[in-house]
Each structure stands twice: as structure tokens, then as C-alpha cells.
Amino acid sequence: MNPIIIVAGTFAAVTLLWLFFRPPFGKNIVRLNTDQRIVALTYDDGPNPPYTDRLLDVLAKHDVKATFFLIGNRTEKHPETVNRIIVEEHQIGNHSYSHPLLGFLPPAYVQREIERTDTLLQRCDPDGVFKEGEIEFRAPVLTRFLPVAWVLAKGNRAHISCNVWSWDWTTQKPDKITKTVLKKTKPGSIIVLHDGKAENKDANRSGTVEATDRIIAALKQDGYGFVRLSDVNNQL
């Protein structure tokens, strides 16, 4: 085969892969746009009682607000926990309806997953705070690949990623989770922890609850404050 054709084909394939995995359009937020000593605690894959409720107890103890990215079918299963999150003035976000790897699915499927959960979250909000298209969205496993980026960009909507992974889905040892988060946290960090589990299964998250208590105490001692994403929309 002609070497020029081989090189051109390889370049085209690499370019297509790059465009798929790193779309050059749309907004992907990995941190708060600030150098202030503030951070955003975010929790994925809930609601998951009793661990979400225990987590809310810890946040209340420290007078800290957080953002919860909720799975739609778990929201249907545990509306009372979602209601508590809202009543206690935490922010709720969209984490898809069934937690598939959206980045590998057709745009129409991606849109249905997002819109279905938007509708559920709006119903959980009797005061109408969460308007369609204004609810923050985070893709499962943060797979902001081409189909997800395209759907979000079409709706003029950002994807909320992070710059601090807790890796608490791999371990529930509080010491390890705490150490991982504190080591990586800087001013403006968006921190990802998990009050539930992917594939919508029930999961023991007692380690995340304990780690949250330790993380907040340590960061407060180091002069940090905590915000919801909605508190700093102009800094996203």
C-alpha cells in the first residue's frame, strides 16, 4: 500500500478519535474560576438512603452546602431523600436517568436520559427553582465524549466535571479517601465523592460519610469555605 495513503489514513483515524473523546466545542467545567480558598463538594449516584441521609447529617453539623448529582430512577425510588436535600438547601443536579455510559450512545438516547431526569428533578422542586436547561449536568463516569458534548452544546448547557477525584468508588476506607482528597484540593477545586453506586445498586457508603466529616474539618482548619455550584455560576 502507498505509504502516503497509510500516513493519511492513520492521521484521519487519530483525528476522529481525538474529536470523539475530546470534542473541541461545548463547555467542560473542571474547577471554579477563582483563586479564593473555596471548594465545591459534589456527590454522584444518589439518592442512596441511609447513606445520603447520614451524609446530610454531617453537612448540617458543619453548616456546609453541597451539590448532589442524582440518578433519575433512584430519584423516583427515594423522593423523600431528594426532598430533604432540597429542604436543607443543597443543590441538585442531573446525573442521567439510568447511569449508562452516555458517551458511547446515540445523541437521541443521551437527550432522553437527560430530559427525563430534568423532568423528575423539576417535579421534586415545588418552588420552581430548577428550570429546564438550568439544572447542572454531569455525565456518568464523566464521559463527555462527542454525543454528550453535542447534545449539551445544542442546549447551550455546560458539563460539570471535576479536578479532584476521591476514588471512593474503589475503596471505603475513610483514611484513604480523606488523604486522596486533601492531597489534590486547591482553591477552586470541584471535588467528586459518591453517596451511591453506578448501575443504580444500593451501596455501603459509610466510608464516604466518615471521610466527608474529616475532609470538611481539615479544609476548614486550612481556611477553606464551601459552596454549591449555583453559588458561583459566574465563576464556572
Side-chain angles (χ1 to χ4, degrees):
M1 185 178 289
N2 190 316
I4 295 177
I5 295 176
I6 294 174
V7 171
T10 301
F11 178 79
V14 170
T15 300
L16 287 173
L17 285 172
W18 177 262
L19 290 173
F20 183 85
F21 289 107
R22 297 291 296 272
F25 55 84
K27 192 173 183 181
N28 187 44
I29 296 166
V30 298
R31 64 180 301 276
L32 308 177
N33 185 25
T34 181
D35 292 323
Q36 297 179 51
R37 294 179 80 77
I38 57 173
V39 298
L41 287 176
T42 68
Y43 295 88
D44 289 4
D45 296 354
N48 180 33
Y51 302 102
T52 304
D53 297 280
R54 294 177 187 173
L55 184 58
L56 290 167
D57 292 340
V58 169
L59 294 171
K61 181 180 85 169
H62 290 284
D63 192 23
V64 163
K65 304 303 180 188
T67 302
F68 289 81
F69 285 94
L70 306 177
I71 297 174
N73 60 16
R74 295 194 67 85
T75 296
E76 289 175 323
K77 188 177 180 180
H78 303 292
E80 70 291 340
T81 303
V82 178
N83 182 65
R84 182 182 171 189
I85 292 171
I86 294 172
V87 167
E88 296 186 10
E89 300 183 341
H90 301 284
Q91 183 179 357
I92 57 173
N94 184 329
H95 198 46
S96 81
Y97 180 78
S98 60
H99 204 282
L101 287 176
L102 291 179
F104 295 103
L105 296 170
Y109 192 103
V110 173
Q111 188 151 350
R112 284 196 300 271
E113 284 274 328
I114 294 173
E115 289 179 348
R116 190 172 183 182
T117 302
D118 275 349
T119 299
L120 286 169
L121 297 183
Q122 288 161 12
R123 289 175 183 167
C124 291
D125 169 37
D127 296 326
V129 174
F130 308 110
K131 304 292 192 301
E132 184 175 359
E134 295 179 359
I135 299 170
E136 304 289 7
F137 175 77
R138 173 179 285 158
V141 201
L142 279 72
T143 52
R144 182 191 167 266
F145 302 156
L146 188 61
V148 174
W150 187 83
V151 169
L152 293 177
K154 186 175 68 169
N156 194 28
R157 196 166 179 177
H159 177 259
I160 305 297
S161 187
C162 72
N163 63 347
V164 178
W165 290 80
S166 65
W167 295 94
D168 63 339
W169 67 94
T170 65
T171 179
Q172 278 296 290
K173 295 179 179 178
D175 290 343
K176 190 169 184 179
I177 298 169
T178 303
K179 183 178 179 180
T180 297
V181 170
L182 294 180
K183 182 179 179 181
K184 298 177 180 178
T185 298
K186 298 177 181 179
S189 284
I190 297 176
I191 302 167
V192 172
L193 296 122
H194 294 76
D195 59 324
K197 185 176 181 179
E199 292 84 41
N200 317 304
K201 297 177 182 177
D202 295 331
N204 186 324
R205 289 290 181 247
S206 56
T208 295
V209 174
E210 176 61 30
T212 292
D213 193 25
R214 300 181 190 184
I215 289 165
I216 293 174
L219 289 178
K220 276 192 170 184
Q221 189 173 15
D222 201 22
Y224 279 90
F226 299 83
V227 296
R228 302 166 298 186
L229 297 174
S230 57
D231 296 325
V232 291
N233 280 339
N234 64 330
Q235 295 177 325
L236 294 177

